[in-house]
Amino acid sequence: VNAPDLPQEFPAIKSLDTQPNNIPIQLTSFVGREKEITEIISSLNSSHLVTLTGSGGTGKTRLSLQVGAGILNRFKDGVWFVELAPITDPALVPNTVASILGVREEPGRPLMTTLMDWFSGRELLILLDNCEHLINACAHLTNKILQAASNVRILASSREALGIAGEAIYRVPSL
């Protein structure tokens, strides 16, 4: 329909299909937890690192994915999900993050330096999932990222907190 004085073209709708991300498609609906989502988003507004803690099976991963999808349009460089459960070697945490983001190692240059340079000036949210068995490596990487990039937010999920300065801890209640 065309009408005088109305625009004829509109920008693309911001959705999981148009915003940079790797958030997996969820095959089931997400019911409830509106209070938790609101509180976590509020924490992310005031803290660069929020860690969802709780025992296994409380829904930390699904909650973080829901939060990430809900605020995707706030991050021009996207929301990136990093699944750490299959990683057993702490030294591979930076490589895993770099791989998800498409950052390639440069000859003669440490990957961590390349990765921190890549983060500089970016606006994105990283969902670090299942950090509990790699706490020290995740804490070290997270601390480096947050020092290198003021517009990066990290939402981590773990059975225990990362234990770094500025971390906001959100205890996920049982369902």
Side-chain angles (χ1 to χ4, degrees), residues 2-163:
N2 292 330
D5 300 322
L6 288 179
Q8 302 300 313
E9 295 188 29
F10 300 91
I13 295 172
K14 291 187 176 189
S15 73
L16 288 179
D17 295 334
T18 61
Q19 293 289 104
N21 75 88
N22 71 335
I23 297 174
I25 302 289
Q26 300 303 305
L27 302 177
T28 58
S29 60
F30 188 84
V31 179
R33 299 250 174 165
E34 289 83 9
K35 175 182 176 251
E36 289 89 344
I37 290 171
T38 300
E39 291 172 350
I40 293 165
I41 291 171
S42 177
S43 290
L44 279 168
N45 288 336
S46 59
S47 179
H48 288 266
L49 168 62
V50 176
T51 302
L52 306 182
T53 64
S55 56
T58 57
K60 297 180 296 292
T61 297
R62 185 65 191 266
L63 187 56
S64 71
L65 290 169
Q66 198 68 27
V67 168
I71 60 175
L72 177 62
N73 64 345
R74 288 182 34 195
F75 300 95
K76 75 173 185 160
D77 296 306
V79 174
W80 301 99
F81 179 65
V82 180
E83 172 57 67
L84 297 171
I87 307 301
T88 56
D89 183 354
L92 294 178
V93 172
N95 302 64
T96 304
V97 171
S99 175
I100 294 293
L101 297 172
V103 177
R104 305 277 182 242
E105 197 164 356
E106 297 174 8
R109 194 165 189 233
L111 176 62
M112 194 66 105
T113 302
T114 303
L115 197 51
M116 293 311 114
D117 287 349
W118 186 90
F119 277 115
S120 181
R122 305 241 183 212
E123 294 176 25
L124 59 107
L125 172 65
I126 300 171
L127 306 175
L128 275 184
D129 191 48
N130 289 305
C131 299
E132 55 271 350
H133 63 294
L134 302 162
I135 287 288
N136 291 336
C138 289
H140 178 73
L141 178 63
T142 297
N143 198 41
K144 289 275 195 192
I145 293 169
L146 297 179
Q147 289 175 0
S150 62
N151 292 319
V152 171
R153 297 278 197 260
I154 297 174
L155 179 57
S157 69
S158 179
R159 293 183 185 181
E160 61 182 283
L162 299 183

